[in-house]
Amino acid sequence: MLNKGGNRDTTRMLMDRSVSGRVGVITPELDVPAASLPDAVYLRDSLPLPEVSEPEVVQYFTSLSQLNFSIDTHFYPLGSCTMKYNPKINDEVAFLPGFAGIHPQQPAEQSQGALELLYRLQEFLTEVTGMSATSLATLAGAHGELAGVLMMRAYHLARGDSGRTKMGIPDSAHGTNPASAAMAGFDVVTIPSDADGNTDLAALREIAGDDLAGVMITLPSTLGLFDSHILEVCQVVHECGGLVYGDGANMNALLGRAKLGELGFDVCHLNLHKTFSTPHGGGGPGAGPVCCGEILTPYLAAPVVERTDAGEYTLSEPAESIGKISGFHGNFGVLVRAYTYIRTLGAAGLLSISGNAVLNANYIMHELKDIYALPYDRTCMHEVVFSADLQRERGVSGLEVAKRLLDYGFHAPTMYFPLIVHEALMIEPTESETKETLDAFIDALRAIDAEATSEPELVQHAPHTTPVSRLDEATAARRPVLRWEPVEAAAD
Ligand SMILES: *Cc1c(COP(=O)(O)O)cnc(C)c1O
């Protein structure tokens, strides 16, 4: 199971095991002139810090690191976030001294290798998305979205088309889409999904007018579905003068099979920290490159890397660029990992990613749909969204099913998202897990369903084997305890 029981208490004790005068570090001899101390009023007589030995410190932090679920220890079928295996060679390459030690302000003539890598990655991603150009400057998926919609805005304004204030976004889009559109100053108009989970074309036609800047489509949608109306969606939007944004965060569903540019999208972003395997979670680090077609290329976020006729690599700013959107040239270490991943797999490998991602999700769907309700019963893409409605009837919620999975040694899937599915359980098996792992996961979900009948309390109070059981999630979010405090100070 997750860890050797009692780890949590051990970690607490370690921090509270301070013994006055115990020293865990030897400070080096002073090798600079001694400075005089400030006025005594500003000085404290004592500082309540834990006084512990070096082994205690090492044990403390190592124990903490083992409390977590991670993709390196467990199957992690978190829908919409592609928590897949990250080959260690990516890290090795990113740690090469020439990459890890380079300074972002080093002049271009001294950074030709790094710039060439960025240039080649731009070219790969442009090819993968079927677009014309790519900027690597954006640091996350949502950041790429913001850059993309700002580019759409700049395009309309440059044409004097200033009345386009609306952004249409389906209710099956990722939650960051409306946030990005609003941040860029647009009024978000929600487009409902139809009974099959596709964009409702009639509803789209109603909002398609000269005030529509464009639409943002998550493909595959957060229902795990490929919108079979996508060509018509692009057509309707283009006919009214709008542009189509593609949320390509989960490109592992489409790699090598469908290109957003060829489907009619004008601009999109990719999540290198999902599809192209950089470890992520807990908020970072990431890279969300923006790729766009010809009409938006002049507006791309700066900088982009160009290759001169003489074969030199330079940083440049596109003619009508929305400008810089982050420091320097993007999240370089992540970009090196993505480049390594693409190069180690090659074209055939990339194609097998989408094949296996979709096959695995459909396998899980097929093996579980007799006991977990399936709101949209059709071939899914990289993830499958069930509803725990049938378990709910026996008093066990989707959240409880998810918590119980932890006892079986699996990370919980995404729950209660997308919002349009009641008791949603959103499962993304990813392309990198074996059939044996998927079978064990399927068995666990079947066992939990049986428990919902035979022993519902067991599921309702899960998890039973983790270092902490049910967290008070609201308090954890509102009043997080992020640092240790000495007992005396905490008592005031
Ligand atoms: C993860 C995700 C995002 C947001 O990406 P971040 O890097 O977390 O900002 C956007 N859209 C979809 C579909 C995603 O899965």
Side-chain angles (χ1 to χ4, degrees):
M1 274 326 8
L2 178 60
N3 69 13
K4 327 19 183 197
N7 249 355
R8 175 178 166 242
D9 292 330
T10 319
T11 55
R12 276 222 170 134
M13 273 166 48
L14 280 164
M15 281 310 263
D16 289 330
R17 206 191 287 160
S18 183
V19 170
S20 176
R22 181 165 291 164
V23 176
V25 63
I26 301 165
T27 47
E29 293 217 355
L30 192 64
D31 61 354
V32 292
S36 52
L37 290 173
D39 194 329
V41 243
Y42 300 119
L43 299 178
R44 279 168 290 193
D45 285 332
S46 71
L47 191 58
L49 288 176
E51 296 178 71
V52 288
S53 69
E54 178 172 331
E56 284 173 306
V57 173
V58 172
Q59 287 160 6
Y60 170 68
F61 283 108
T62 307
S63 307
L64 277 191
S65 76
Q66 290 173 349
L67 293 183
N68 246 337
F69 253 80
S70 78
I71 44 171
D72 282 350
T73 54
H74 294 85
F75 179 47
Y76 210 124
L78 194 64
S80 188
C81 281
T82 315
M83 300 297 283
K84 72 179 175 188
Y85 179 69
N86 303 135
K88 301 303 168 230
I89 188 177
N90 295 353
D91 295 328
E92 279 172 37
V93 175
F95 292 160
L96 288 175
F99 289 141
I102 197 165
H103 193 280
Q105 277 179 329
Q106 230 157 302
E109 58 275 18
Q110 290 174 14
S111 341
Q112 285 296 297
L115 292 180
E116 179 175 354
L117 180 141
L118 296 180
Y119 178 81
R120 290 199 198 182
L121 183 59
Q122 283 176 189
E123 298 280 288
F124 281 142
L125 301 181
T126 301
E127 168 78 26
V128 156
T129 53
M131 294 287 183
S132 304
T134 294
S135 165
L136 304 172
T138 36
L139 308 179
H143 200 199
E145 292 167 25
L146 178 64
V149 289
L150 286 175
M151 287 159 59
M152 290 162 72
R153 183 172 178 273
Y155 167 86
H156 289 308
L157 291 180
R159 292 155 44 97
D161 200 355
S162 57
R164 296 191 181 268
T165 54
K166 289 191 195 152
M167 188 68 74
I169 303 182
D171 57 9
S172 63
H174 195 268
T176 48
N177 292 191
S180 301
M183 197 178 261
F186 291 105
D187 298 326
V188 174
V189 186
T190 303
I191 308 168
S193 300
D194 67 16
D196 297 326
N198 293 319
T199 306
D200 186 325
L201 282 174
L204 174 65
R205 286 202 180 91
E206 262 168 47
I207 62 159
D210 56 13
D211 59 351
L212 187 72
V215 294
M216 295 178 81
I217 306 285
T218 302
L219 195 75
S221 72
T222 63
L223 295 169
L225 301 175
F226 187 91
D227 191 329
S228 44
H229 295 159
I230 196 62
L231 297 177
E232 285 132 295
V233 168
C234 294
Q235 195 185 349
V236 170
V237 175
H238 287 149
E239 273 169 12
C240 81
L243 297 172
V244 184
Y245 184 93
D247 181 334
N250 300 302
M251 194 48 58
N252 56 337
L254 304 178
L255 271 183
R257 287 167 209 275
K259 298 185 178 186
L260 297 188
E262 290 175 3
L263 294 174
F265 287 84
D266 299 289
V267 51
C268 68
H269 79 269
L270 299 171
N271 276 34
L272 301 190
H273 48 292
K274 292 180 184 169
T275 306
F276 295 96
S277 96
T278 273
H280 73 286
V290 204
C291 313
C292 66
E294 229 147 80
I295 56 166
L296 289 178
T297 299
Y299 304 96
L300 265 179
V304 293
V305 182
E306 281 184 352
R307 190 174 189 272
T308 66
D309 293 339
E312 274 160 17
Y313 298 93
T314 59
L315 289 171
S316 76
E317 176 158 345
E320 308 293 326
S321 173
I322 57 163
K324 272 182 94 69
I325 195 151
S326 65
F328 305 111
H329 341 55
N331 222 337
F332 186 64
V334 177
L335 302 174
V336 175
R337 286 175 175 84
Y339 179 78
T340 308
Y341 190 61
I342 292 172
R343 290 302 304 273
T344 45
L345 283 165
L350 294 185
L351 197 63
S352 74
I353 287 181
S354 51
N356 287 322
V358 172
L359 181 64
N360 287 355
N362 278 282
Y363 179 62
I364 288 188
M365 177 174 90
H366 186 265
E367 294 297 302
L368 288 172
K369 73 177 184 179
D370 58 327
I371 48 171
Y372 287 90
L374 186 63
Y376 300 94
D377 190 358
R378 49 183 270 210
T379 306
C380 67
M381 300 300 289
H382 63 301
E383 63 196 2
V384 51
V385 180
F386 289 109
S387 156
D389 269 348
L390 301 175
Q391 288 67 31
R392 178 106 232 181
E393 284 166 11
R394 282 167 279 155
V396 165
S397 68
L399 177 127
E400 289 156 358
V401 170
K403 297 280 187 205
R404 182 68 178 139
L405 267 173
L406 299 171
D407 287 334
Y408 283 90
F410 297 105
H411 193 279
T414 299
M415 298 168 302
Y416 301 127
F417 187 80
L419 302 174
I420 50 177
V421 172
H422 195 238
E423 292 288 327
L425 289 174
M426 183 195 215
I427 296 167
E428 177 175 5
T430 78
E431 61 276 14
S432 47
E433 298 290 342
T434 63
K435 178 167 180 296
E436 288 75 13
T437 301
L438 302 189
D439 284 335
F441 177 71
I442 289 162
D443 288 347
L445 274 170
R446 297 194 76 88
I448 294 168
D449 173 68
E451 288 168 354
T453 305
S454 63
E455 245 181 310
E457 314 76 42
L458 185 66
V459 186
Q460 284 155 352
H461 300 270
H464 304 283
T465 57
T466 49
V468 286
S469 184
R470 289 297 175 91
L471 298 168
D472 177 347
E473 282 156 13
T475 306
R478 287 192 193 127
R479 293 184 31 228
V481 181
L482 298 179
R483 65 192 178 107
W484 175 83
E485 294 202 14
V487 182
E488 311 86 54
D492 316 334

